[in-house]
Amino acid sequence: MNKKVAIIASNGGLFDAYKVFNIATAAAATDQEVAIFFTFEGLNLIHKEAHKQLPMPEGKEHFAEGFKKANVPSIPELVEMAQEMGVKFIGCQMTMDVMGLEKESFISGIEVGGAVTFLDFAKDADITLTF
């Protein structure tokens, strides 16, 4: 039986996105079932526009050159890779309601659900991570 990896993405910066999507794609590449629950600022990681321009942490601008030199995929590329690999994206319904966001504000292929939706997946996960 495949292992399951449950990830909560609650922060919306560039480094947060790399952590979330690197772990998710690595797990999916090793035949693990992966679901990411995006909540609060983490919704930026799957927002149609915001995920293309996530902020670099202040004072870390020099990393931009390193990412280029190391041929690190962009966040939109990692999002697409994760989706192609079958990673399940769950947008938090409560946070979306609080922020006045509709499903159409996000990339296609996401599921919208509450904590119960995520907990149903995570209840028998082998690994649970929060970023």
Side-chain angles (χ1 to χ4, degrees):
M1 193 164 106
N2 287 357
K3 289 190 174 207
K4 289 173 84 173
V5 178
I7 300 171
I8 297 172
S10 60
N11 293 298
L14 184 66
F15 286 7
D16 303 301
Y18 275 114
K19 293 174 206 171
V20 168
F21 295 120
N22 281 336
I23 296 288
T25 54
T30 56
D31 292 328
Q32 297 180 66
E33 191 181 346
V34 185
I36 307 170
F37 185 67
F38 297 91
T39 187
F40 295 101
E41 285 85 15
L43 284 170
N44 286 338
L45 309 187
I46 55 170
H47 187 276
K48 273 183 187 167
E49 296 308 317
H51 86 288
K52 296 175 187 169
Q53 51 197 6
L54 296 170
M56 179 76 74
E58 204 169 307
K60 303 290 184 191
E61 293 81 7
H62 61 282
F63 275 85
E65 191 58 36
F67 281 126
K68 266 189 209 139
K69 280 184 183 165
N71 291 320
V72 175
S74 68
I75 295 307
E77 289 170 321
L78 283 172
V79 165
E80 196 175 314
M81 285 170 52
Q83 286 187 304
E84 286 171 2
M85 299 169 96
V87 174
K88 183 189 292 193
F89 289 4
I90 305 166
C92 177
Q93 180 71 66
M94 181 200 75
T95 307
M96 288 168 62
D97 291 347
V98 166
M99 298 171 98
L101 296 167
E102 301 290 327
K103 186 176 180 180
E104 293 70 38
S105 303
F106 299 94
I107 59 172
S108 62
I110 73 158
E111 194 179 308
V112 175
V116 172
T117 304
F118 177 72
L119 289 170
D120 188 49
F121 177 88
K123 72 182 182 300
D124 56 357
D126 299 281
I127 299 169
T128 305
L129 303 165
T130 304
F131 296 106

